[in-house]
Amino acid sequence: MSEYVDDAHEQAVTKDLHDKATAESLRVQHERIGERTLRRTRAFGKLILFGEHFVVYKVPALVGAVAAYTDCECEFLEDAGLEVVDNRPAVPGYKVEKKEEADHAIDLVLKHFNLDPNERGMKLTFGGNLTCSSGIGASAAQVVSLARAIGGALPKELTEDEVNAAGYEGERGYHGTPSGIDNTAATFGGVLRFQRTDSDPIFLKKKLTEPIRIVYASTGITASTTKVVGDVRSKKEANPEWFDGLLEKYVDLVDKAEVALDGGDLDQLGALLDENHTLCQELTVSCKELDDLVLAARKAGAIGAKMSGTGRGGLMLALTPTEESQNAVAAALEKLAPSVWKTSFA
């Protein structure tokens, strides 16, 4: 006879045991090398407010870094070889599905610093409280934290721009030709206006008039950014008039969104988030799971909601103007989504 009441009970118990084991491993790591040392390697997750996929084509996007972070410890060893310990929390299946991309990303960062584990052994231990899922910028947080950790271990004093550049190299392992928005948010934090160019990207940290409360939720589906971006590019090439029409709508929308953000007009910002989700649907990067969560958030009191990130799985976000509405929306989404978080941009 099973010790579990049903499958849901078994999954809940398994998750609880995993969470406790992860927390214990992080506690031991913090005790061994010190909280202050790990804090210096932190890199943040992110939520794209406006600009999924369009940002690839050199138009502005707005992105906010969440409070949750990834950190990294880098140790040089006497014996050659590379050992990677990944203690990051993650939605089920994420780290398995992303393993090959993660290995490639780590290799690119090491090469960026002219490090060869076959000549000088290394151990990398990733941790933090950012739950890895599609859309949250977990890959960027990983490689940016790795860059910071390498700087501390060499030791080599790195500017934030140098950390960001190393993070971009690592992102190539996950995304092929990344826009740069994720590693920039992971490095600098805050709410940013980001625009890709033919040379270095342009980004500006925004000053908010008041904190912006957000609820975000995972569909539990892990999507490949490379595949989805590639599919959108194929559709663009097959029907350029269709894509140009959507791009024109988006550019007008993001300009209005920046004005609303700068002026603290949350109602207008929320309405524009809704419009951006509609554009993502027309771009074919949303999915039923995302749409259901977006509708549930709006019904529960969110003044705007949309998918965020790659799409076809991954995350959605909801704008909630008060603590009460944030709690209400989170409670509603918890009935549908496997994972729900609350954060704020300030």
Side-chain angles (χ1 to χ4, degrees), residues 1-15:
M1 182 176 178
S2 174
E3 61 184 302
Y4 305 110
V5 176
D6 52 26
D7 289 345
H9 179 229
E10 182 177 3
Q11 291 174 4
V13 171
T14 300
K15 182 179 184 301

Side-chain angles (χ1 to χ4, degrees), residues 175-235:
H175 306 312
T177 308
S179 68
I181 190 170
D182 286 15
N183 50 275
T184 301
T187 302
F188 292 96
V191 175
L192 305 172
R193 180 190 189 274
F194 177 93
Q195 186 167 4
R196 190 178 185 183
T197 71
D198 289 330
S199 56
D200 292 335
I202 301 168
F203 65 93
L204 173 68
K205 185 170 284 192
K206 308 300 289 184
K207 294 182 180 180
L208 304 183
T209 58
E210 61 179 303
I212 296 177
R213 295 179 177 84
I214 295 287
V215 177
Y216 61 103
S218 171
T219 60
I221 301 170
T222 299
S224 167
T225 300
T226 302
K227 291 179 181 178
V228 180
V229 169
D231 185 52
V232 170
R233 183 180 293 110
S234 296
K235 292 180 184 298

Side-chain angles (χ1 to χ4, degrees), residues 62-119:
L62 296 172
V63 60
V66 301
Y69 60 86
T70 293
D71 57 29
C72 178
E73 179 188 6
C74 174
E75 302 172 81
F76 290 108
L77 308 175
E78 292 183 4
D79 297 329
L82 176 64
E83 179 183 356
V84 178
V85 179
D86 192 348
N87 290 327
R88 296 174 299 163
V91 299
Y94 176 92
K95 288 192 283 190
V96 173
E97 196 158 332
K98 297 284 188 177
K99 176 68 165 58
E100 185 175 341
E101 293 177 355
D103 289 345
H104 187 201
I106 290 170
D107 182 59
L108 288 173
V109 176
L110 296 183
K111 287 180 178 177
H112 181 77
F113 287 101
N114 296 314
L115 294 172
D116 184 353
N118 293 317
E119 297 179 356

Side-chain angles (χ1 to χ4, degrees), residues 100-330:
E100 185 175 341
E101 293 177 355
D103 289 345
H104 187 201
I106 290 170
D107 182 59
L108 288 173
V109 176
L110 296 183
K111 287 180 178 177
H112 181 77
F113 287 101
N114 296 314
L115 294 172
D116 184 353
N118 293 317
E119 297 179 356
R120 188 183 187 188
M122 299 180 69
K123 179 179 179 181
L124 307 175
T125 304
F126 294 99
N129 61 2
L130 178 69
T131 300
C132 299
S133 63
S134 293
I136 198 62
S139 61
Q142 181 185 34
V143 292
V144 169
S145 69
L146 172 58
R148 293 193 190 283
I150 289 172
L154 284 174
K156 181 180 181 181
E157 195 72 32
L158 300 174
T159 67
E160 291 294 84
D161 287 336
E162 288 173 328
V163 169
N164 196 29
Y168 180 84
E169 287 302 306
E171 277 281 85
R172 290 175 51 232
Y174 277 99
H175 306 312
T177 308
S179 68
I181 190 170
D182 286 15
N183 50 275
T184 301
T187 302
F188 292 96
V191 175
L192 305 172
R193 180 190 189 274
F194 177 93
Q195 186 167 4
R196 190 178 185 183
T197 71
D198 289 330
S199 56
D200 292 335
I202 301 168
F203 65 93
L204 173 68
K205 185 170 284 192
K206 308 300 289 184
K207 294 182 180 180
L208 304 183
T209 58
E210 61 179 303
I212 296 177
R213 295 179 177 84
I214 295 287
V215 177
Y216 61 103
S218 171
T219 60
I221 301 170
T222 299
S224 167
T225 300
T226 302
K227 291 179 181 178
V228 180
V229 169
D231 185 52
V232 170
R233 183 180 293 110
S234 296
K235 292 180 184 298
K236 172 183 179 293
E237 293 170 352
N239 192 346
E241 290 184 1
W242 163 79
F243 184 84
D244 289 346
L246 293 179
L247 185 65
E248 184 178 351
K249 290 180 182 178
Y250 168 72
V251 171
D252 179 62
L253 184 151
V254 74
D255 287 345
K256 292 177 180 176
E258 186 171 10
V259 171
L261 186 68
D262 290 342
D265 188 346
L266 295 187
D267 288 332
Q268 172 72 344
L269 192 67
L272 293 168
L273 287 172
D274 290 344
E275 288 185 35
N276 198 166
H277 184 72
T278 299
L279 286 180
C280 288
Q281 290 174 315
E282 294 180 39
L283 202 59
T284 75
V285 294
S286 190
C287 62
K288 183 181 185 301
E289 291 83 357
L290 285 167
D291 292 343
D292 288 347
L293 292 174
V294 165
L295 291 174
R298 293 173 185 167
K299 186 177 180 180
I303 58 175
K306 63 181 284 290
M307 60 157 277
S308 183
T310 298
R312 297 183 187 172
L315 299 176
M316 56 75 65
L317 64 82
L319 177 60
T320 52
T322 66
E323 184 177 352
E324 291 75 18
S325 64
Q326 187 180 43
N327 291 335
V329 170

